[in-house]
PDB file of all heavy atoms in Angstrom:
ATOM      1  N   ALA A 277     -22.965  67.602 -21.709  1.00 61.00           N
ATOM      2  CA  ALA A 277     -24.364  67.192 -21.804  1.00 61.00           C
ATOM      3  C   ALA A 277     -24.937  66.813 -20.440  1.00 61.00           C
ATOM      4  O   ALA A 277     -26.077  67.115 -20.106  1.00 61.00           O
ATOM      5  CB  ALA A 277     -24.501  66.017 -22.775  1.00 61.00           C
ATOM      6  N   LEU A 278     -24.073  66.168 -19.609  1.00 63.00           N
ATOM      7  CA  LEU A 278     -24.536  65.772 -18.288  1.00 63.00           C
ATOM      8  C   LEU A 278     -24.851  66.947 -17.355  1.00 63.00           C
ATOM      9  O   LEU A 278     -25.682  66.831 -16.462  1.00 63.00           O
ATOM     10  CB  LEU A 278     -23.510  64.867 -17.642  1.00 63.00           C
ATOM     11  CG  LEU A 278     -23.398  63.445 -18.184  1.00 63.00           C
ATOM     12  CD1 LEU A 278     -22.177  62.732 -17.550  1.00 63.00           C
ATOM     13  CD2 LEU A 278     -24.670  62.653 -17.961  1.00 63.00           C
ATOM     14  N   THR A 279     -24.204  68.066 -17.571  1.00 67.00           N
ATOM     15  CA  THR A 279     -24.427  69.226 -16.710  1.00 67.00           C
ATOM     16  C   THR A 279     -25.884  69.713 -16.839  1.00 67.00           C
ATOM     17  O   THR A 279     -26.441  70.285 -15.874  1.00 67.00           O
ATOM     18  CB  THR A 279     -23.489  70.383 -17.033  1.00 67.00           C
ATOM     19  OG1 THR A 279     -23.704  70.823 -18.386  1.00 67.00           O
ATOM     20  CG2 THR A 279     -22.047  69.972 -16.844  1.00 67.00           C
ATOM     21  N   PHE A 280     -26.509  69.494 -17.972  1.00 65.00           N
ATOM     22  CA  PHE A 280     -27.873  69.980 -18.184  1.00 65.00           C
ATOM     23  C   PHE A 280     -28.904  69.123 -17.428  1.00 65.00           C
ATOM     24  O   PHE A 280     -30.020  69.584 -17.196  1.00 65.00           O
ATOM     25  CB  PHE A 280     -28.214  69.974 -19.688  1.00 65.00           C
ATOM     26  CG  PHE A 280     -27.421  70.979 -20.472  1.00 65.00           C
ATOM     27  CD1 PHE A 280     -26.432  70.576 -21.328  1.00 65.00           C
ATOM     28  CD2 PHE A 280     -27.642  72.317 -20.320  1.00 65.00           C
ATOM     29  CE1 PHE A 280     -25.677  71.503 -22.018  1.00 65.00           C
ATOM     30  CE2 PHE A 280     -26.916  73.288 -21.038  1.00 65.00           C
ATOM     31  CZ  PHE A 280     -25.929  72.854 -21.884  1.00 65.00           C
ATOM     32  N   ILE A 281     -28.519  67.916 -17.061  1.00 63.00           N
ATOM     33  CA  ILE A 281     -29.475  67.076 -16.276  1.00 63.00           C
ATOM     34  C   ILE A 281     -28.930  66.814 -14.862  1.00 63.00           C
ATOM     35  O   ILE A 281     -29.505  65.973 -14.163  1.00 63.00           O
ATOM     36  CB  ILE A 281     -29.739  65.742 -17.020  1.00 63.00           C
ATOM     37  CG1 ILE A 281     -28.421  64.930 -17.192  1.00 63.00           C
ATOM     38  CG2 ILE A 281     -30.431  65.974 -18.334  1.00 63.00           C
ATOM     39  CD1 ILE A 281     -28.652  63.537 -17.723  1.00 63.00           C
ATOM     40  N   SER A 282     -27.866  67.501 -14.507  1.00 65.00           N
ATOM     41  CA  SER A 282     -27.223  67.225 -13.217  1.00 65.00           C
ATOM     42  C   SER A 282     -28.147  67.483 -12.048  1.00 65.00           C
ATOM     43  O   SER A 282     -28.151  66.727 -11.089  1.00 65.00           O
ATOM     44  CB  SER A 282     -25.921  68.053 -13.071  1.00 65.00           C
ATOM     45  OG  SER A 282     -26.208  69.448 -13.097  1.00 65.00           O
ATOM     46  N   ASN A 283     -28.940  68.541 -12.111  1.00 69.00           N
ATOM     47  CA  ASN A 283     -29.830  68.863 -10.963  1.00 69.00           C
ATOM     48  C   ASN A 283     -30.820  67.749 -10.723  1.00 69.00           C
ATOM     49  O   ASN A 283     -31.064  67.354  -9.572  1.00 69.00           O
ATOM     50  CB  ASN A 283     -30.572  70.180 -11.223  1.00 69.00           C
ATOM     51  CG  ASN A 283     -29.665  71.385 -11.060  1.00 69.00           C
ATOM     52  OD1 ASN A 283     -28.655  71.317 -10.360  1.00 69.00           O
ATOM     53  ND2 ASN A 283     -30.017  72.500 -11.682  1.00 69.00           N
ATOM     54  N   ALA A 284     -31.392  67.210 -11.815  1.00 74.00           N
ATOM     55  CA  ALA A 284     -32.346  66.123 -11.647  1.00 74.00           C
ATOM     56  C   ALA A 284     -31.680  64.882 -11.098  1.00 74.00           C
ATOM     57  O   ALA A 284     -32.215  64.198 -10.254  1.00 74.00           O
ATOM     58  CB  ALA A 284     -33.002  65.841 -13.027  1.00 74.00           C
ATOM     59  N   LEU A 285     -30.463  64.600 -11.589  1.00 74.00           N
ATOM     60  CA  LEU A 285     -29.713  63.444 -11.094  1.00 74.00           C
ATOM     61  C   LEU A 285     -29.407  63.565  -9.634  1.00 74.00           C
ATOM     62  O   LEU A 285     -29.551  62.600  -8.865  1.00 74.00           O
ATOM     63  CB  LEU A 285     -28.423  63.267 -11.908  1.00 74.00           C
ATOM     64  CG  LEU A 285     -28.537  62.730 -13.343  1.00 74.00           C
ATOM     65  CD1 LEU A 285     -27.191  62.785 -14.025  1.00 74.00           C
ATOM     66  CD2 LEU A 285     -29.109  61.336 -13.356  1.00 74.00           C
ATOM     67  N   MET A 286     -28.975  64.728  -9.216  1.00 75.00           N
ATOM     68  CA  MET A 286     -28.605  64.940  -7.800  1.00 75.00           C
ATOM     69  C   MET A 286     -29.792  64.813  -6.882  1.00 75.00           C
ATOM     70  O   MET A 286     -29.704  64.271  -5.785  1.00 75.00           O
ATOM     71  CB  MET A 286     -27.926  66.300  -7.628  1.00 75.00           C
ATOM     72  CG  MET A 286     -26.656  66.479  -8.453  1.00 75.00           C
ATOM     73  SD  MET A 286     -25.540  65.028  -8.436  1.00 75.00           S
ATOM     74  CE  MET A 286     -24.527  65.360  -9.855  1.00 75.00           C
ATOM     75  N   LYS A 287     -30.953  65.285  -7.344  1.00 77.00           N
ATOM     76  CA  LYS A 287     -32.193  65.143  -6.555  1.00 77.00           C
ATOM     77  C   LYS A 287     -32.538  63.693  -6.434  1.00 77.00           C
ATOM     78  O   LYS A 287     -33.008  63.246  -5.371  1.00 77.00           O
ATOM     79  CB  LYS A 287     -33.291  65.959  -7.208  1.00 77.00           C
ATOM     80  CG  LYS A 287     -33.140  67.478  -7.058  1.00 77.00           C
ATOM     81  CD  LYS A 287     -34.273  68.227  -7.744  1.00 77.00           C
ATOM     82  CE  LYS A 287     -34.119  69.739  -7.594  1.00 77.00           C
ATOM     83  NZ  LYS A 287     -35.176  70.492  -8.273  1.00 77.00           N
ATOM     84  N   ALA A 288     -32.345  62.933  -7.496  1.00 83.00           N
ATOM     85  CA  ALA A 288     -32.681  61.503  -7.464  1.00 83.00           C
ATOM     86  C   ALA A 288     -31.764  60.798  -6.503  1.00 83.00           C
ATOM     87  O   ALA A 288     -32.209  59.949  -5.685  1.00 83.00           O
ATOM     88  CB  ALA A 288     -32.550  60.898  -8.858  1.00 83.00           C
ATOM     89  N   PHE A 289     -30.458  61.116  -6.530  1.00 83.00           N
ATOM     90  CA  PHE A 289     -29.531  60.489  -5.602  1.00 83.00           C
ATOM     91  C   PHE A 289     -29.897  60.826  -4.166  1.00 83.00           C
ATOM     92  O   PHE A 289     -29.834  59.940  -3.265  1.00 83.00           O
ATOM     93  CB  PHE A 289     -28.095  60.972  -5.878  1.00 83.00           C
ATOM     94  CG  PHE A 289     -27.451  60.328  -7.111  1.00 83.00           C
ATOM     95  CD1 PHE A 289     -26.852  61.110  -8.052  1.00 83.00           C
ATOM     96  CD2 PHE A 289     -27.512  58.979  -7.294  1.00 83.00           C
ATOM     97  CE1 PHE A 289     -26.266  60.537  -9.180  1.00 83.00           C
ATOM     98  CE2 PHE A 289     -26.926  58.380  -8.386  1.00 83.00           C
ATOM     99  CZ  PHE A 289     -26.317  59.170  -9.352  1.00 83.00           C
ATOM    100  N   SER A 290     -30.265  62.074  -3.907  1.00 80.00           N
ATOM    101  CA  SER A 290     -30.636  62.479  -2.552  1.00 80.00           C
ATOM    102  C   SER A 290     -31.861  61.735  -2.079  1.00 80.00           C
ATOM    103  O   SER A 290     -31.933  61.290  -0.926  1.00 80.00           O
ATOM    104  CB  SER A 290     -30.895  63.998  -2.541  1.00 80.00           C
ATOM    105  OG  SER A 290     -31.271  64.431  -1.245  1.00 80.00           O
ATOM    106  N   TYR A 291     -32.847  61.572  -2.977  1.00 81.00           N
ATOM    107  CA  TYR A 291     -34.073  60.871  -2.633  1.00 81.00           C
ATOM    108  C   TYR A 291     -33.788  59.432  -2.285  1.00 81.00           C
ATOM    109  O   TYR A 291     -34.427  58.814  -1.391  1.00 81.00           O
ATOM    110  CB  TYR A 291     -35.061  60.962  -3.812  1.00 81.00           C
ATOM    111  CG  TYR A 291     -36.354  60.219  -3.589  1.00 81.00           C
ATOM    112  CD1 TYR A 291     -37.360  60.762  -2.795  1.00 81.00           C
ATOM    113  CD2 TYR A 291     -36.549  58.970  -4.164  1.00 81.00           C
ATOM    114  CE1 TYR A 291     -38.549  60.070  -2.571  1.00 81.00           C
ATOM    115  CE2 TYR A 291     -37.747  58.273  -3.960  1.00 81.00           C
ATOM    116  CZ  TYR A 291     -38.737  58.845  -3.179  1.00 81.00           C
ATOM    117  OH  TYR A 291     -39.915  58.157  -2.942  1.00 81.00           O
ATOM    118  N   LEU A 292     -32.817  58.838  -2.986  1.00 86.00           N
ATOM    119  CA  LEU A 292     -32.473  57.418  -2.785  1.00 86.00           C
ATOM    120  C   LEU A 292     -31.428  57.262  -1.674  1.00 86.00           C
ATOM    121  O   LEU A 292     -30.948  56.140  -1.444  1.00 86.00           O
ATOM    122  CB  LEU A 292     -31.961  56.843  -4.085  1.00 86.00           C
ATOM    123  CG  LEU A 292     -32.925  56.751  -5.227  1.00 86.00           C
ATOM    124  CD1 LEU A 292     -32.259  56.367  -6.538  1.00 86.00           C
ATOM    125  CD2 LEU A 292     -34.063  55.768  -4.908  1.00 86.00           C
ATOM    126  N   ASN A 293     -31.061  58.357  -1.024  1.00 88.00           N
ATOM    127  CA  ASN A 293     -30.022  58.295   0.022  1.00 88.00           C
ATOM    128  C   ASN A 293     -28.689  57.746  -0.493  1.00 88.00           C
ATOM    129  O   ASN A 293     -28.008  56.946   0.177  1.00 88.00           O
ATOM    130  CB  ASN A 293     -30.474  57.487   1.231  1.00 88.00           C
ATOM    131  CG  ASN A 293     -31.648  58.153   1.955  1.00 88.00           C
ATOM    132  OD1 ASN A 293     -31.690  59.385   2.126  1.00 88.00           O
ATOM    133  ND2 ASN A 293     -32.619  57.374   2.363  1.00 88.00           N
ATOM    134  N   ILE A 294     -28.308  58.174  -1.710  1.00 88.00           N
ATOM    135  CA  ILE A 294     -27.024  57.817  -2.290  1.00 88.00           C
ATOM    136  C   ILE A 294     -26.096  59.038  -2.180  1.00 88.00           C
ATOM    137  O   ILE A 294     -26.435  60.098  -2.719  1.00 88.00           O
ATOM    138  CB  ILE A 294     -27.178  57.375  -3.737  1.00 88.00           C
ATOM    139  CG1 ILE A 294     -28.061  56.140  -3.850  1.00 88.00           C
ATOM    140  CG2 ILE A 294     -25.820  57.120  -4.391  1.00 88.00           C
ATOM    141  CD1 ILE A 294     -28.391  55.722  -5.258  1.00 88.00           C
ATOM    142  N   TYR A 295     -24.957  58.896  -1.505  1.00 90.00           N
ATOM    143  CA  TYR A 295     -24.101  60.035  -1.257  1.00 90.00           C
ATOM    144  C   TYR A 295     -22.735  59.917  -1.905  1.00 90.00           C
ATOM    145  O   TYR A 295     -21.987  60.889  -1.939  1.00 90.00           O
ATOM    146  CB  TYR A 295     -23.920  60.221   0.259  1.00 90.00           C
ATOM    147  CG  TYR A 295     -25.230  60.308   1.002  1.00 90.00           C
ATOM    148  CD1 TYR A 295     -25.678  59.242   1.787  1.00 90.00           C
ATOM    149  CD2 TYR A 295     -26.067  61.418   0.872  1.00 90.00           C
ATOM    150  CE1 TYR A 295     -26.911  59.296   2.457  1.00 90.00           C
ATOM    151  CE2 TYR A 295     -27.302  61.497   1.518  1.00 90.00           C
ATOM    152  CZ  TYR A 295     -27.701  60.419   2.295  1.00 90.00           C
ATOM    153  OH  TYR A 295     -28.909  60.477   2.954  1.00 90.00           O
ATOM    154  N   ASN A 296     -22.393  58.767  -2.435  1.00 90.00           N
ATOM    155  CA  ASN A 296     -21.150  58.599  -3.141  1.00 90.00           C
ATOM    156  C   ASN A 296     -21.367  57.708  -4.366  1.00 90.00           C
ATOM    157  O   ASN A 296     -22.398  57.024  -4.481  1.00 90.00           O
ATOM    158  CB  ASN A 296     -20.066  57.976  -2.226  1.00 90.00           C
ATOM    159  CG  ASN A 296     -20.372  56.510  -1.919  1.00 90.00           C
ATOM    160  OD1 ASN A 296     -21.425  56.192  -1.365  1.00 90.00           O
ATOM    161  ND2 ASN A 296     -19.456  55.634  -2.229  1.00 90.00           N
ATOM    162  N   ILE A 297     -20.385  57.742  -5.264  1.00 83.00           N
ATOM    163  CA  ILE A 297     -20.559  57.058  -6.515  1.00 83.00           C
ATOM    164  C   ILE A 297     -19.226  56.514  -7.014  1.00 83.00           C
ATOM    165  O   ILE A 297     -18.165  57.072  -6.742  1.00 83.00           O
ATOM    166  CB  ILE A 297     -21.177  58.002  -7.570  1.00 83.00           C
ATOM    167  CG1 ILE A 297     -21.655  57.236  -8.818  1.00 83.00           C
ATOM    168  CG2 ILE A 297     -20.203  59.111  -7.965  1.00 83.00           C
ATOM    169  CD1 ILE A 297     -22.493  58.064  -9.750  1.00 83.00           C
ATOM    170  N   LEU A 298     -19.295  55.369  -7.730  1.00 71.00           N
ATOM    171  CA  LEU A 298     -18.140  54.793  -8.431  1.00 71.00           C
ATOM    172  C   LEU A 298     -17.012  54.487  -7.454  1.00 71.00           C
ATOM    173  O   LEU A 298     -15.806  54.673  -7.797  1.00 71.00           O
ATOM    174  CB  LEU A 298     -17.687  55.699  -9.549  1.00 71.00           C
ATOM    175  CG  LEU A 298     -18.711  55.926 -10.678  1.00 71.00           C
ATOM    176  CD1 LEU A 298     -18.148  56.883 -11.710  1.00 71.00           C
ATOM    177  CD2 LEU A 298     -19.058  54.584 -11.346  1.00 71.00           C
ATOM    178  N   SER A 299     -17.349  54.016  -6.264  1.00 67.00           N
ATOM    179  CA  SER A 299     -16.315  53.642  -5.289  1.00 67.00           C
ATOM    180  C   SER A 299     -15.759  52.255  -5.678  1.00 67.00           C
ATOM    181  O   SER A 299     -16.353  51.498  -6.413  1.00 67.00           O
ATOM    182  CB  SER A 299     -16.887  53.588  -3.889  1.00 67.00           C
ATOM    183  OG  SER A 299     -17.264  54.878  -3.472  1.00 67.00           O
ATOM    184  N   SER A 300     -14.596  51.964  -5.085  1.00 57.00           N
ATOM    185  CA  SER A 300     -13.955  50.688  -5.365  1.00 57.00           C
ATOM    186  C   SER A 300     -14.556  49.566  -4.509  1.00 57.00           C
ATOM    187  O   SER A 300     -14.011  49.168  -3.495  1.00 57.00           O
ATOM    188  CB  SER A 300     -12.446  50.782  -5.049  1.00 57.00           C
ATOM    189  OG  SER A 300     -11.829  49.579  -5.315  1.00 57.00           O
ATOM    190  N   SER A 301     -15.712  49.112  -4.923  1.00 50.00           N
ATOM    191  CA  SER A 301     -16.428  48.041  -4.212  1.00 50.00           C
ATOM    192  C   SER A 301     -16.265  46.741  -4.951  1.00 50.00           C
ATOM    193  O   SER A 301     -15.849  46.716  -6.104  1.00 50.00           O
ATOM    194  CB  SER A 301     -17.934  48.401  -4.145  1.00 50.00           C
ATOM    195  OG  SER A 301     -18.456  48.420  -5.439  1.00 50.00           O
ATOM    196  N   PRO A 302     -16.574  45.614  -4.302  1.00 52.00           N
ATOM    197  CA  PRO A 302     -16.496  44.342  -5.016  1.00 52.00           C
ATOM    198  C   PRO A 302     -17.348  44.311  -6.284  1.00 52.00           C
ATOM    199  O   PRO A 302     -16.905  43.778  -7.294  1.00 52.00           O
ATOM    200  CB  PRO A 302     -17.025  43.333  -3.968  1.00 52.00           C
ATOM    201  CG  PRO A 302     -16.692  43.967  -2.641  1.00 52.00           C
ATOM    202  CD  PRO A 302     -16.859  45.449  -2.866  1.00 52.00           C
ATOM    203  N   LEU A 303     -18.523  44.897  -6.234  1.00 48.00           N
ATOM    204  CA  LEU A 303     -19.376  44.934  -7.416  1.00 48.00           C
ATOM    205  C   LEU A 303     -18.743  45.761  -8.537  1.00 48.00           C
ATOM    206  O   LEU A 303     -18.690  45.326  -9.703  1.00 48.00           O
ATOM    207  CB  LEU A 303     -20.745  45.503  -7.049  1.00 48.00           C
ATOM    208  CG  LEU A 303     -21.716  45.695  -8.228  1.00 48.00           C
ATOM    209  CD1 LEU A 303     -21.987  44.372  -8.922  1.00 48.00           C
ATOM    210  CD2 LEU A 303     -23.057  46.304  -7.760  1.00 48.00           C
ATOM    211  N   MET A 304     -18.185  46.915  -8.158  1.00 46.00           N
ATOM    212  CA  MET A 304     -17.561  47.773  -9.177  1.00 46.00           C
ATOM    213  C   MET A 304     -16.369  47.069  -9.812  1.00 46.00           C
ATOM    214  O   MET A 304     -16.200  47.110 -11.024  1.00 46.00           O
ATOM    215  CB  MET A 304     -17.115  49.102  -8.497  1.00 46.00           C
ATOM    216  CG  MET A 304     -16.742  50.184  -9.477  1.00 46.00           C
ATOM    217  SD  MET A 304     -18.200  50.744 -10.386  1.00 46.00           S
ATOM    218  CE  MET A 304     -17.449  51.330 -11.915  1.00 46.00           C
ATOM    219  N   ARG A 305     -15.562  46.388  -9.010  1.00 49.00           N
ATOM    220  CA  ARG A 305     -14.393  45.691  -9.543  1.00 49.00           C
ATOM    221  C   ARG A 305     -14.833  44.539 -10.461  1.00 49.00           C
ATOM    222  O   ARG A 305     -14.238  44.265 -11.464  1.00 49.00           O
ATOM    223  CB  ARG A 305     -13.556  45.153  -8.388  1.00 49.00           C
ATOM    224  CG  ARG A 305     -12.951  46.197  -7.493  1.00 49.00           C
ATOM    225  CD  ARG A 305     -11.642  46.773  -8.008  1.00 49.00           C
ATOM    226  NE  ARG A 305     -11.766  47.576  -9.195  1.00 49.00           N
ATOM    227  CZ  ARG A 305     -12.140  48.858  -9.198  1.00 49.00           C
ATOM    228  NH1 ARG A 305     -12.420  49.456  -8.040  1.00 49.00           N
ATOM    229  NH2 ARG A 305     -12.233  49.567 -10.296  1.00 49.00           N
ATOM    230  N   GLY A 306     -15.930  43.900 -10.090  1.00 49.00           N
ATOM    231  CA  GLY A 306     -16.426  42.785 -10.924  1.00 49.00           C
ATOM    232  C   GLY A 306     -16.958  43.245 -12.234  1.00 49.00           C
ATOM    233  O   GLY A 306     -16.735  42.619 -13.279  1.00 49.00           O
ATOM    234  N   ILE A 307     -17.682  44.352 -12.237  1.00 47.00           N
ATOM    235  CA  ILE A 307     -18.216  44.918 -13.483  1.00 47.00           C
ATOM    236  C   ILE A 307     -17.063  45.304 -14.384  1.00 47.00           C
ATOM    237  O   ILE A 307     -17.064  45.050 -15.579  1.00 47.00           O
ATOM    238  CB  ILE A 307     -19.121  46.147 -13.176  1.00 47.00           C
ATOM    239  CG1 ILE A 307     -20.392  45.664 -12.463  1.00 47.00           C
ATOM    240  CG2 ILE A 307     -19.440  46.870 -14.451  1.00 47.00           C
ATOM    241  CD1 ILE A 307     -21.229  46.813 -11.976  1.00 47.00           C
ATOM    242  N   GLU A 308     -16.042  45.932 -13.778  1.00 47.00           N
ATOM    243  CA  GLU A 308     -14.849  46.342 -14.528  1.00 47.00           C
ATOM    244  C   GLU A 308     -14.191  45.146 -15.185  1.00 47.00           C
ATOM    245  O   GLU A 308     -13.856  45.142 -16.366  1.00 47.00           O
ATOM    246  CB  GLU A 308     -13.891  47.079 -13.614  1.00 47.00           C
ATOM    247  CG  GLU A 308     -12.479  47.269 -14.170  1.00 47.00           C
ATOM    248  CD  GLU A 308     -11.590  46.106 -13.825  1.00 47.00           C
ATOM    249  OE1 GLU A 308     -11.671  45.575 -12.701  1.00 47.00           O
ATOM    250  OE2 GLU A 308     -10.819  45.683 -14.731  1.00 47.00           O
ATOM    251  N   LYS A 309     -14.046  44.050 -14.437  1.00 51.00           N
ATOM    252  CA  LYS A 309     -13.383  42.881 -14.963  1.00 51.00           C
ATOM    253  C   LYS A 309     -14.192  42.238 -16.066  1.00 51.00           C
ATOM    254  O   LYS A 309     -13.627  41.831 -17.102  1.00 51.00           O
ATOM    255  CB  LYS A 309     -13.116  41.885 -13.846  1.00 51.00           C
ATOM    256  CG  LYS A 309     -12.294  40.647 -14.279  1.00 51.00           C
ATOM    257  CD  LYS A 309     -11.865  39.822 -13.120  1.00 51.00           C
ATOM    258  CE  LYS A 309     -10.946  38.701 -13.564  1.00 51.00           C
ATOM    259  NZ  LYS A 309     -10.461  37.897 -12.454  1.00 51.00           N
ATOM    260  N   MET A 310     -15.508  42.214 -15.899  1.00 49.00           N
ATOM    261  CA  MET A 310     -16.343  41.580 -16.886  1.00 49.00           C
ATOM    262  C   MET A 310     -16.378  42.355 -18.173  1.00 49.00           C
ATOM    263  O   MET A 310     -16.267  41.798 -19.276  1.00 49.00           O
ATOM    264  CB  MET A 310     -17.754  41.418 -16.334  1.00 49.00           C
ATOM    265  CG  MET A 310     -18.683  40.645 -17.236  1.00 49.00           C
ATOM    266  SD  MET A 310     -20.279  40.309 -16.433  1.00 49.00           S
ATOM    267  CE  MET A 310     -19.773  39.159 -15.146  1.00 49.00           C
ATOM    268  N   PHE A 311     -16.477  43.700 -18.115  1.00 48.00           N
ATOM    269  CA  PHE A 311     -16.675  44.507 -19.298  1.00 48.00           C
ATOM    270  C   PHE A 311     -15.357  45.001 -19.936  1.00 48.00           C
ATOM    271  O   PHE A 311     -15.345  45.399 -21.070  1.00 48.00           O
ATOM    272  CB  PHE A 311     -17.591  45.678 -19.015  1.00 48.00           C
ATOM    273  CG  PHE A 311     -19.046  45.296 -18.937  1.00 48.00           C
ATOM    274  CD1 PHE A 311     -19.683  45.126 -17.752  1.00 48.00           C
ATOM    275  CD2 PHE A 311     -19.749  45.054 -20.095  1.00 48.00           C
ATOM    276  CE1 PHE A 311     -21.008  44.740 -17.675  1.00 48.00           C
ATOM    277  CE2 PHE A 311     -21.098  44.664 -20.055  1.00 48.00           C
ATOM    278  CZ  PHE A 311     -21.716  44.508 -18.816  1.00 48.00           C
ATOM    279  N   CYS A 312     -14.272  45.032 -19.142  1.00 52.00           N
ATOM    280  CA  CYS A 312     -13.029  45.563 -19.680  1.00 52.00           C
ATOM    281  C   CYS A 312     -11.953  44.537 -19.879  1.00 52.00           C
ATOM    282  O   CYS A 312     -10.862  44.864 -20.410  1.00 52.00           O
ATOM    283  CB  CYS A 312     -12.498  46.672 -18.747  1.00 52.00           C
ATOM    284  SG  CYS A 312     -13.575  48.137 -18.713  1.00 52.00           S
ATOM    285  N   LYS A 313     -12.188  43.284 -19.485  1.00 51.00           N
ATOM    286  CA  LYS A 313     -11.118  42.299 -19.572  1.00 51.00           C
ATOM    287  C   LYS A 313     -11.544  40.975 -20.201  1.00 51.00           C
ATOM    288  O   LYS A 313     -10.762  40.326 -20.859  1.00 51.00           O
ATOM    289  CB  LYS A 313     -10.517  42.046 -18.192  1.00 51.00           C
ATOM    290  CG  LYS A 313      -9.840  43.254 -17.606  1.00 51.00           C
ATOM    291  CD  LYS A 313      -9.283  42.916 -16.205  1.00 51.00           C
ATOM    292  CE  LYS A 313      -8.614  44.146 -15.591  1.00 51.00           C
ATOM    293  NZ  LYS A 313      -8.166  43.904 -14.207  1.00 51.00           N
ATOM    294  N   THR A 314     -12.780  40.570 -19.973  1.00 51.00           N
ATOM    295  CA  THR A 314     -13.151  39.198 -20.344  1.00 51.00           C
ATOM    296  C   THR A 314     -14.087  39.108 -21.528  1.00 51.00           C
ATOM    297  O   THR A 314     -14.101  38.089 -22.230  1.00 51.00           O
ATOM    298  CB  THR A 314     -13.782  38.472 -19.132  1.00 51.00           C
ATOM    299  OG1 THR A 314     -14.957  39.186 -18.736  1.00 51.00           O
ATOM    300  CG2 THR A 314     -12.817  38.417 -17.958  1.00 51.00           C
ATOM    301  N   LEU A 315     -14.915  40.077 -21.767  1.00 49.00           N
ATOM    302  CA  LEU A 315     -15.854  40.016 -22.871  1.00 49.00           C
ATOM    303  C   LEU A 315     -15.140  40.263 -24.202  1.00 49.00           C
ATOM    304  O   LEU A 315     -14.126  40.955 -24.254  1.00 49.00           O
ATOM    305  CB  LEU A 315     -16.972  41.035 -22.700  1.00 49.00           C
ATOM    306  CG  LEU A 315     -17.930  40.805 -21.529  1.00 49.00           C
ATOM    307  CD1 LEU A 315     -18.966  41.909 -21.447  1.00 49.00           C
ATOM    308  CD2 LEU A 315     -18.635  39.462 -21.652  1.00 49.00           C
ATOM    309  N   PRO A 316     -15.674  39.726 -25.316  1.00 48.00           N
ATOM    310  CA  PRO A 316     -15.092  39.994 -26.637  1.00 48.00           C
ATOM    311  C   PRO A 316     -15.089  41.506 -26.911  1.00 48.00           C
ATOM    312  O   PRO A 316     -16.068  42.197 -26.621  1.00 48.00           O
ATOM    313  CB  PRO A 316     -16.028  39.260 -27.610  1.00 48.00           C
ATOM    314  CG  PRO A 316     -16.659  38.185 -26.755  1.00 48.00           C
ATOM    315  CD  PRO A 316     -16.779  38.779 -25.385  1.00 48.00           C
ATOM    316  N   LEU A 317     -13.988  42.008 -27.447  1.00 46.00           N
ATOM    317  CA  LEU A 317     -13.828  43.432 -27.750  1.00 46.00           C
ATOM    318  C   LEU A 317     -13.954  44.296 -26.546  1.00 46.00           C
ATOM    319  O   LEU A 317     -14.258  45.501 -26.647  1.00 46.00           O
ATOM    320  CB  LEU A 317     -14.889  43.876 -28.800  1.00 46.00           C
ATOM    321  CG  LEU A 317     -14.886  43.106 -30.127  1.00 46.00           C
ATOM    322  CD1 LEU A 317     -15.993  43.621 -31.021  1.00 46.00           C
ATOM    323  CD2 LEU A 317     -13.543  43.239 -30.819  1.00 46.00           C
ATOM    324  N   SER A 318     -13.709  43.725 -25.317  1.00 46.00           N
ATOM    325  CA  SER A 318     -13.929  44.487 -24.109  1.00 46.00           C
ATOM    326  C   SER A 318     -12.979  45.692 -23.969  1.00 46.00           C
ATOM    327  O   SER A 318     -13.378  46.753 -23.508  1.00 46.00           O
ATOM    328  CB  SER A 318     -13.768  43.570 -22.887  1.00 46.00           C
ATOM    329  OG  SER A 318     -12.507  42.951 -22.897  1.00 46.00           O
ATOM    330  N   SER A 319     -11.720  45.522 -24.376  1.00 51.00           N
ATOM    331  CA  SER A 319     -10.769  46.630 -24.269  1.00 51.00           C
ATOM    332  C   SER A 319     -11.161  47.801 -25.143  1.00 51.00           C
ATOM    333  O   SER A 319     -11.003  48.960 -24.806  1.00 51.00           O
ATOM    334  CB  SER A 319      -9.347  46.189 -24.583  1.00 51.00           C
ATOM    335  OG  SER A 319      -9.266  45.788 -25.926  1.00 51.00           O
TER     336      SER A 319
END
């Protein structure tokens, strides 16, 4: 399903000067911990 909107997404990333995604950043690790470890039914 994502392939059908991929062109629009890539143009948006380019416009926003975003060149990488889902890197191991402090924010990404924090989101992971909050949603996959600490919230009810997170796993």
